[in-house]
Amino acid sequence: MLRDSFGRTFPYIRMSITDVCNFKCGYCLPNGYQIDKSDNRKFLHLDEIKRLAKCFTELGVCKIRITGGEPTVRKDFFEIVKVLKNESGIRKVVITTNGYHLDQKAKALVESGLNGINISIDSLNRETFKNVTGHDRLPEILKGINNLQDLGFKNIKVNAVLLNGINSSEKDFQSWSKFIKDNKVDFRYIELMQTGDNLDYFKKYHVSANIFKNYLNKNKWIHQTLGRDAGPSLNYINPEYKGKFGIIAPYSKDFCKTCNRLRITSRGDLRLCLFGNTGISIRHLLQKDDQLNELKDLILKQMQFKKESHYLELGDTGSTKNLSKTGG
Ligand code: SAM
Ligand code: SF4
């Protein structure tokens, strides 16, 4: 089991498989994806991904989240899922997606055997969605959720970044409330995080998730605790609703105390935190099957460098320019 010097264990990996994205979310890639001329390394290859996952399985990891960029833009996306599901020993394989063409992809996603899908939807208002992401694609995403449900897919989560004055009003909260009343979907607001690129946006739109917490308390939602490989979300249930609400508040005190994940960037760097500068390339040890023990040793040694906190509250975003790079 992977363990750091603060006693935290890491059963969960977030792996970015590409930096490329087709959306232009204002807080992430407002000008769309731009090729990084300072780093011409290719994105991880299928064989490298397989070796990586095998290694983490042996180190006690039971869940991998595939993210990006937009993971589904990779041509071999379904092959990656298949290899992780069938040849790596990982128990749970889940993805985070912007839901692009979800209506058309729903069937293939269900058939791929994925254990869960997180879909990012910043607003249920079509115009607001379009303004935030640069794409008028809300209807196809909502249809995609319907299709997933019609096919019996169970583990659907929806995430929205909480943006002051954009999707943070009582009316917005009520529209999500209506959505999860009869939809078995977990909806979570994520507090906007500052990154190297988005300081002006952050200053303009960041708001504490306490406004949503207050709404939940006022409306008699009940706080719930979760299991070992669960995410960082504070979850709320209400017996009258099929879905749940959640809050991911990275600026809250103690957020990092329950950290249970490590990250792999699309170019094969191990990152010990979404922020900060700690992490190294492990790619040279992903080239042959017989490097497995050396790779395990390297990862285990890195654990001592994981810091206690992300230090985001000090405005220290480390080398994280935007979350499409490290995989949010
Ligand atoms: N493209 C996919 C998507 O949007 O779901 C996966 C990658 S995206 C970086 C993963 C998650 O990070 C999304 O839910 C997105 O809204 C969130 N995110 C991106 N930048 C963020 C920021 N600065 N603060 C908070 N969340 C952010
Ligand atoms: Fe793309 Fe996701 Fe970033 Fe939006 S948040 S620009 S969908 S990577």
Side-chain angles (χ1 to χ4, degrees), residues 1 22 37 75 121 149 159 164 218 243 282 301-302:
M1 174 61 80
N22 45 5
K37 293 198 182 104
K75 290 210 169 64
I121 306 179
Q149 288 175 325
N159 297 328
N164 199 16
K218 202 171 80 188
I282 54 174
K301 283 201 187 103
Q302 280 295 305

Side-chain angles (χ1 to χ4, degrees), residues 134-270:
H135 280 260
D136 185 17
R137 294 195 178 269
L138 182 63
E140 77 189 36
I141 299 172
L142 294 178
K143 183 156 185 286
I145 292 180
N146 267 333
N147 293 355
L148 288 172
Q149 288 175 325
D150 286 348
L151 292 161
F153 193 82
K154 298 245 159 33
N155 188 6
I156 305 174
K157 297 193 174 95
V158 170
N159 297 328
V161 180
L162 184 63
L163 301 168
N164 199 16
I166 294 184
N167 61 7
S168 61
S169 69
E170 179 120 354
K171 200 167 146 214
D172 293 300
F173 302 161
Q174 274 161 0
S175 67
W176 283 115
S177 192
K178 208 166 136 206
F179 185 79
I180 64 167
K181 179 105 182 141
D182 301 310
N183 259 313
K184 203 170 171 324
V185 166
D186 294 356
F187 171 80
R188 297 98 55 90
Y189 267 120
I190 311 172
E191 252 179 31
L192 176 62
M193 290 178 267
Q194 184 189 330
T195 61
D197 283 348
N198 78 3
L199 182 60
D200 290 343
Y201 193 95
F202 176 82
K203 280 190 189 152
K204 199 163 168 193
Y205 296 116
H206 177 262
V207 60
S208 160
N210 281 340
I211 52 167
F212 185 53
K213 204 182 217 175
N214 294 341
Y215 169 85
L216 295 178
N217 289 334
K218 202 171 80 188
N219 289 282
K220 313 240 167 347
W221 285 80
I222 305 151
H223 180 233
Q224 192 196 27
T225 46
L226 285 174
R228 165 176 108 91
D229 68 348
S233 165
L234 293 174
N235 292 297
Y236 290 80
I237 49 169
N238 184 326
E240 288 170 27
Y241 289 71
K242 283 199 177 151
K244 290 180 197 166
F245 269 136
I247 298 176
I248 302 176
Y251 289 92
S252 63
K253 191 176 143 289
D254 295 343
F255 180 77
C256 299
K257 278 203 173 134
T258 53
C259 182
N260 64 355
R261 78 269 328 267
L262 302 175
R263 293 169 191 270
I264 303 293
T265 70
S266 57
R267 292 178 166 96
D269 295 343
L270 170 72

Side-chain angles (χ1 to χ4, degrees), residues 8-201:
R8 294 173 297 196
T9 54
F10 299 90
Y12 178 16
I13 300 297
R14 287 200 175 192
M15 181 175 63
S16 173
I17 56 170
T18 179
D19 297 353
V20 178
C21 186
N22 45 5
F23 276 24
K24 298 178 179 177
C25 300
Y27 43 78
C28 183
L29 296 174
N31 303 314
Y33 171 70
Q34 316 279 326
I35 292 171
D36 182 354
K37 293 198 182 104
S38 66
D39 191 350
N40 61 7
R41 290 177 296 167
K42 292 211 162 61
F43 300 131
L44 283 172
H45 186 266
L46 188 63
D47 286 339
E48 294 171 317
I49 291 173
K50 181 164 132 188
R51 290 188 190 110
L52 192 69
K54 268 194 173 160
C55 171
F56 277 116
T57 307
E58 294 203 6
L59 290 169
V61 167
C62 55
K63 174 172 165 184
I64 288 190
R65 174 170 303 285
I66 307 173
T67 179
E70 173 50 36
T72 63
V73 301
R74 250 186 88 149
K75 290 210 169 64
D76 58 353
F77 169 76
F78 284 106
E79 261 177 276
I80 294 173
V81 175
K82 204 163 112 195
V83 160
L84 289 177
K85 281 292 304 176
N86 303 326
E87 294 175 45
S88 74
I90 290 285
R91 253 192 319 119
K92 278 194 201 167
V93 180
V94 296
I95 63 161
T96 300
T97 172
N98 61 24
Y100 176 86
H101 281 174
L102 188 62
D103 51 346
Q104 295 164 36
K105 284 190 216 126
K107 189 157 179 276
L109 286 167
V110 174
E111 285 170 358
S112 73
L114 275 178
N115 301 95
I117 301 180
N118 284 15
I119 305 155
S120 304
I121 306 179
D122 288 330
S123 175
L124 280 174
N125 178 296
R126 186 167 175 172
E127 208 46 37
T128 309
F129 180 92
K130 185 170 125 193
N131 289 337
V132 175
T133 62
H135 280 260
D136 185 17
R137 294 195 178 269
L138 182 63
E140 77 189 36
I141 299 172
L142 294 178
K143 183 156 185 286
I145 292 180
N146 267 333
N147 293 355
L148 288 172
Q149 288 175 325
D150 286 348
L151 292 161
F153 193 82
K154 298 245 159 33
N155 188 6
I156 305 174
K157 297 193 174 95
V158 170
N159 297 328
V161 180
L162 184 63
L163 301 168
N164 199 16
I166 294 184
N167 61 7
S168 61
S169 69
E170 179 120 354
K171 200 167 146 214
D172 293 300
F173 302 161
Q174 274 161 0
S175 67
W176 283 115
S177 192
K178 208 166 136 206
F179 185 79
I180 64 167
K181 179 105 182 141
D182 301 310
N183 259 313
K184 203 170 171 324
V185 166
D186 294 356
F187 171 80
R188 297 98 55 90
Y189 267 120
I190 311 172
E191 252 179 31
L192 176 62
M193 290 178 267
Q194 184 189 330
T195 61
D197 283 348
N198 78 3
L199 182 60
D200 290 343
Y201 193 95

